[in-house]
Amino acid sequence: MKTIEELIEGYRRFRGGVYAEQAALYRELGEGQSPAIMLIACADSRAEPSDIFAAAPGQLFVVRNVANLVPPYMPDGKLHGVSSALEYAVNVLKVKHIVVMGHGGCGGVQASLAGGDNPLIGEFVTPWVSLLDEARDRVLESGSINPQFSLELEGIETSLKNLLSFPFVEKAVSAGELELHGAWFAIKHGELHWRNASTGRFEVVDR
């Protein structure tokens, strides 16, 4: 889509197709939601969670931002979009799973790795991707032959670690009421890599 007219026409196709086929579901969802899974993904237009997981409306509580990042718990009275969504998902919706999903070719990760006057660096992007600073330094010090890919995975680990800094998340995990997961999507090949909770390795999901 390149124009607003195409966007509106897309709505008309939705209204006459998908919506018409699932009108009863939408009426039910109009009364409330009860998703069991929260998915924290990148805002990148190429990695659409609902498409990747073939999810119907109401099945995923999705939060998307640059580089699929979760900041650490910081109750300072300032504006915290991801943290507020997390609080709502865990305390109100009582989700059973939180999945942090990264993807190949992430621009936010590129911004973290970039320096100087790189156009990826900006007034708001720079402080946001600074959440990856420690992970970036580890990757660069390791001598990784593919720092972009390595940092995409390390960024997921950073977000999973930060999730546990929230008292309500840690409490729910400790009580066995919530599980945390990591995933990485290869856009070019359409492959999903799932984090093995026992080994910490990302393994390709069988098709």
Side-chain angles (χ1 to χ4, degrees):
M1 292 184 181
K2 296 184 178 180
T3 67
I4 293 300
E5 287 74 18
E6 288 179 297
L7 189 69
I8 298 300
E9 184 56 36
Y11 158 73
R12 293 191 177 106
R13 291 195 300 272
F14 159 77
R15 181 71 185 186
V18 173
Y19 180 82
E21 295 168 1
Q22 302 186 73
L25 172 60
Y26 278 97
R27 284 195 295 270
E28 180 181 340
L29 292 174
E31 302 301 319
Q33 63 172 327
S34 57
I37 300 172
M38 178 183 192
L39 202 144
I40 300 170
C42 185
D44 194 295
S45 63
R46 302 166 296 172
E48 172 56 53
S50 293
D51 286 348
I52 293 168
F53 295 102
Q59 292 185 328
L60 298 176
F61 185 74
V62 180
V63 172
R64 302 180 71 172
N65 63 61
V66 173
N68 44 271
L69 292 172
V70 176
Y73 178 66
M74 193 174 297
D76 55 10
K78 295 183 180 179
L79 304 176
H80 296 281
V82 175
S83 302
S84 64
L86 179 62
E87 182 179 53
Y88 182 74
V90 175
N91 290 346
V92 179
L93 296 177
K94 305 293 184 184
V95 296
K96 303 300 181 184
H97 303 273
I98 298 177
V99 180
V100 177
M101 185 181 74
H103 68 89
C106 179
V109 169
Q110 292 175 24
S112 174
L113 290 168
D117 297 325
N118 191 291
L120 292 170
I121 299 299
E123 180 181 3
F124 298 105
V125 171
T126 301
W128 179 248
V129 299
S130 69
L131 290 167
L132 289 171
D133 283 357
E134 291 184 13
R136 178 200 61 206
D137 293 345
R138 285 197 304 272
V139 166
L140 295 178
E141 289 170 5
S142 73
S144 171
I145 60 173
N146 190 341
Q148 171 77 28
F149 173 66
S150 296
L151 187 52
E152 285 165 1
L153 298 188
E154 282 293 325
I156 296 168
E157 298 290 348
T158 295
S159 288
L160 290 172
K161 177 183 176 182
N162 286 345
L163 279 170
L164 288 172
S165 71
F166 289 79
F168 52 87
V169 172
E170 194 281 330
K171 180 181 178 181
V173 170
S174 295
E177 299 170 350
L178 176 66
E179 294 182 8
L180 308 183
H181 311 271
W184 180 86
F185 181 67
I187 295 171
K188 187 174 182 178
H189 303 291
E191 288 183 341
L192 183 69
H193 297 229
W194 197 263
R195 183 179 182 274
N196 184 312
S198 300
T199 65
R201 292 179 177 274
F202 285 78
E203 303 167 352
V204 178
V205 176
D206 293 336
R207 288 178 285 175

